[in-house]
Amino acid sequence: MKSNMYYAVYDISDNRTRTRTIQALKNIGFVRIQESVFCGSLSSQQKKDLIETLKKITGENESVYLILACQKCFGKVTIIGYGFDKEYVANNLESMVL
């Protein structure tokens, strides 16, 4: 199944809505890379499901952006300062639960 890399960026003022949004992103496998920025890979069905979930959570008063980052472009991300593990986020590394 083909998947694409996405950034999820949100600006949510309501604490409950923000917490539910964060949980939805984590549940689908996204990794937090900044305070209000997550990154992860989605199949087209996962993307549709996530969009429906986020619509139910956020309504029309909050904003969430899903930004497509093709594999080629994602590999060209420039990180300044403390970064995130691009290989893990891109699902190129196996995660281990200890």
Side-chain angles (χ1 to χ4, degrees), residues 41-59:
S41 60
L42 297 172
S43 67
S44 51
Q45 185 59 53
Q46 287 175 313
K47 180 185 175 191
K48 289 176 188 175
D49 294 344
L50 179 60
I51 289 170
E52 287 306 311
T53 299
L54 293 175
K55 281 181 180 179
K56 290 176 187 173
I57 292 170
T58 62

Side-chain angles (χ1 to χ4, degrees), residues 8-26:
V9 181
Y10 60 82
D11 183 16
I12 299 174
S13 57
D14 180 71
N15 289 335
R16 183 171 185 264
T17 302
R18 186 173 48 252
T19 299
R20 291 177 66 210
T21 299
I22 291 166
Q23 194 59 51
L25 292 169
K26 287 181 177 180

Side-chain angles (χ1 to χ4, degrees), residues 31-43:
V31 175
R32 180 178 249 156
I33 59 173
Q34 289 288 320
E35 188 65 30
S36 60
V37 181
F38 283 74
C39 188
S41 60
L42 297 172
S43 67

Side-chain angles (χ1 to χ4, degrees), residues 65-84:
Y65 292 83
L66 280 179
I67 303 166
L68 175 65
C70 69
Q71 292 291 343
K72 185 176 178 181
C73 296
F74 186 73
K76 294 182 181 180
V77 170
T78 301
I79 300 170
I80 300 164
Y82 180 77
F84 59 97

